[in-house]
Amino acid sequence: TNVGLCISYVIVLGDFSFALAQKYGLHISKEECMAALVGFICWPLSCAPSLGFLRWISMLGLASVLFCTLVAGVRYWDGSYFEASGPPSLAGFKLGSFGHCFPILVGAFGAHTNIPL
């Protein structure tokens, strides 16, 4: 499970950073984004004797998730997401696009079993 978690972090962060790089006009490959993230973020964090210095960043992350939830709720209730035809029909599960969310599911599974509370 730990190896799958490490691989999924690199995949998810690499895809996200590649999309950001493309948005801002940087010409870099997805593999280069993944290598840079491993070299400059994942590897130094794995060498730290303790992750206690990240406790305040965790609170910032929680506050960010709550803020995004609030904003999405406000935009949903004021009708910003609806077209003129009414609310969108939500499909719960599409087999054709399941592979797009697989790295996120692997990361969530690994995190829920490996993070001591």
Side-chain angles (χ1 to χ4, degrees), residues 21 23 27 33 40-41 54 62 65 73 77 95:
K23 179 177 173 133
H27 301 289
C33 286
F40 293 112
I41 295 175
L54 294 176
L62 178 63
V65 168
W77 292 111
L95 189 58

Side-chain angles (χ1 to χ4, degrees), residues 10-97:
V10 173
I11 291 170
V12 170
L13 291 175
D15 286 344
F16 181 71
S17 64
F18 178 71
L20 282 177
Q22 296 300 311
K23 179 177 173 133
Y24 291 111
L26 298 173
H27 301 289
I28 188 170
S29 71
K30 195 179 288 191
E31 291 82 9
E32 291 169 335
C33 286
M34 290 179 187
L37 284 168
V38 167
F40 293 112
I41 295 175
C42 296
W43 181 67
L45 285 174
S46 68
C47 293
S50 169
L51 295 179
F53 63 92
L54 294 176
R55 96 180 56 146
W56 301 112
I57 299 298
S58 296
M59 292 303 295
L60 177 66
L62 178 63
S64 299
V65 168
L66 293 174
F67 176 74
C68 289
T69 303
L70 176 71
V71 169
V74 167
R75 291 199 59 200
Y76 177 81
W77 292 111
D78 74 0
S80 297
Y81 293 134
F82 300 152
E83 295 180 10
S85 62
S89 63
L90 302 175
F93 180 76
K94 292 182 182 177
L95 189 58
S97 63

Side-chain angles (χ1 to χ4, degrees), residues 1-15 33-35 37-39 41-43 45-47 51 102-115:
T1 304
N2 290 337
V3 173
L5 186 61
C6 290
I7 291 171
S8 67
Y9 281 152
V10 173
I11 291 170
V12 170
L13 291 175
D15 286 344
C33 286
M34 290 179 187
L37 284 168
V38 167
I41 295 175
C42 296
W43 181 67
L45 285 174
S46 68
C47 293
L51 295 179
F102 187 72
I104 296 170
L105 295 175
V106 170
F109 177 74
H112 97 279
T113 59
N114 289 324
I115 297 176

